[in-house]
Amino acid sequence: MNYGFGKQYRLLKTDDYSSVFALRNRKSRDLLHVSQSGDNGLGHARLGLVVSKKTAKRANKRNYMKRVIRDWFRRHRSQLPPHDYVVQVRRLFTRDNAPEARDQLAQLMIRKRR
């Protein structure tokens, strides 16, 4: 299985983000907020990230949070439906509570099969 994170798996343009936000399909937990589109027609999921300076002033902390989220997405991409996702970080997380952030991502993004 390929665990790369090439351009085809990223939301790159403002229009891509806007279309996800326009649908208002949102789920939230303590650390993260996930907006999701309907089927994107590409056959695979795509990810967009929003980590504001208000959440973490230092760039290295924002980059760490983005790295954790991207890594989780790469590992679980095959389990996700072909939708566009935008993950917003609501509250700072560090190495100490990164497992909690990963658990919240799983709760917000992976559908429970009935």
Side-chain angles (χ1 to χ4, degrees):
M1 167 154 253
N2 178 14
Y3 288 114
F5 190 63
K7 281 190 175 185
Q8 72 266 25
Y9 299 112
R10 301 181 208 164
L11 294 179
L12 298 172
K13 298 180 179 167
T14 304
D15 291 342
D16 295 338
Y17 281 87
S18 298
S19 65
V20 174
F21 289 135
L23 288 174
R24 298 195 185 279
N25 185 1
R26 301 177 185 165
K27 299 176 188 173
S28 293
R29 293 287 184 270
D30 185 36
L31 298 173
L32 303 169
H33 180 84
V34 175
S35 299
Q36 175 182 345
S37 74
D39 191 344
N40 61 17
L42 299 173
H44 57 80
R46 295 192 305 171
L47 177 69
L49 294 168
V50 178
V51 183
S52 69
K53 285 186 181 178
K54 190 174 182 179
T55 304
K57 298 279 186 224
R58 304 289 305 237
N60 61 335
K61 292 180 182 180
R62 293 192 306 273
N63 291 339
Y64 175 76
M65 292 185 283
K66 289 190 277 188
R67 193 165 47 247
V68 167
I69 295 167
R70 278 193 302 261
D71 182 58
W72 184 91
F73 178 80
R74 285 185 315 102
R75 293 172 187 261
H76 296 89
R77 182 175 62 219
S78 62
Q79 299 171 22
L80 298 173
H83 297 171
D84 292 341
Y85 296 92
V86 176
V87 178
Q88 293 175 290
V89 177
R90 297 178 69 191
R91 196 169 54 102
L92 175 72
F93 63 85
T94 60
R95 290 180 192 267
D96 299 333
N97 57 347
E100 182 183 348
R102 290 183 187 101
D103 290 342
Q104 288 184 17
L105 268 173
Q107 292 170 10
L108 295 169
M109 293 177 78
I110 295 178
R111 286 188 186 172
K112 294 180 176 78
R113 292 193 171 91
R114 296 177 187 182

